Amino acid sequence: MRDELYSIARREFAEDLIFEIEGKPVTLSIKGLLIARAEREGYNFSFFEVTETETVLAVQMKGFIVYIAIESDEELDDEEYAEVGKALLEHLTPKIALLVTKAEKDYSGKADILLDDGMSPDMKEFFYSLFVKHRQGKSPYEQTEVA
């Protein structure tokens, strides 16, 4: 089963994406992909800024979270970031749905890294910490106590 997920990840996600934002091309490279079971069934997405040019897009769908490590060719300002986020979601949501639909049918694990191509040390540290937390059944989000 994992082989099929790896195959989908390589075929659908291992790519560079070029979007035109405010009249200029922005190149985004997908450097990694992690699939993990979610505790809830809802749909949601969020972005984690790892460095000025590296971001992780997390999409929760049908009881899974798909984390996508993305590197941009340059730092984006807030307006560009919003435009890129919208374009990424439009482009990647069908691919994420394909991956999750396959995982729903046959995947029994807690978390697996399906791509990790050429990530920077900062991105690897962030990505692998997500992986370990999911494997241990811990929340990937920092928890704080009420004072």
Side-chain angles (χ1 to χ4, degrees):
M1 171 57 215
R2 251 190 263 166
D3 289 342
E4 291 179 55
L5 293 179
Y6 286 117
S7 177
I8 292 170
R10 281 192 304 274
R11 184 179 68 241
E12 300 291 332
F13 293 93
E15 63 182 345
D16 288 343
L17 307 170
I18 301 173
F19 298 106
E20 187 172 313
I21 306 296
E22 297 179 4
K24 70 176 187 177
V26 175
T27 303
L28 304 174
S29 300
I30 295 177
K31 299 292 187 176
L33 189 129
L34 164 67
I35 189 167
R37 290 201 173 274
E39 293 194 17
R40 288 176 273 190
E41 286 284 321
Y43 292 85
N44 201 351
F45 73 92
S46 56
F47 289 91
F48 300 92
E49 187 174 308
V50 178
T51 68
E52 293 84 18
T53 59
E54 296 172 310
T55 303
V56 172
L57 167 62
V59 178
Q60 182 175 333
M61 180 184 292
K62 298 181 179 180
F64 289 90
I65 302 174
V66 177
Y67 296 94
I68 304 169
I70 301 164
E71 182 180 296
S72 63
D73 59 346
E74 61 185 59
E75 185 176 355
L76 304 174
D77 65 32
D78 289 341
E79 285 182 26
E80 292 171 323
Y81 202 80
E83 289 289 321
V84 166
K86 181 180 174 190
L88 272 172
L89 284 167
E90 287 175 3
H91 181 77
L92 294 175
T93 298
K95 297 174 183 230
I96 294 166
L98 173 68
L99 183 71
V100 168
T101 299
K102 184 62 181 165
E104 258 187 318
K105 293 177 184 172
D106 301 318
Y107 182 67
S108 60
K110 288 184 179 182
D112 273 297
I113 292 179
L114 303 177
L115 288 176
D116 64 348
D117 299 334
M119 286 191 262
S120 73
D122 288 335
M123 182 64 87
K124 272 189 181 182
E125 182 180 335
F126 182 83
F127 216 63
Y128 280 89
S129 73
L130 287 172
F131 173 70
V132 169
K133 286 177 183 177
H134 277 288
R135 280 281 175 106
Q136 293 174 343
K138 296 179 181 176
S139 171
Y141 306 102
E142 295 297 319
Q143 299 294 317
T144 57
E145 291 184 30
V146 177

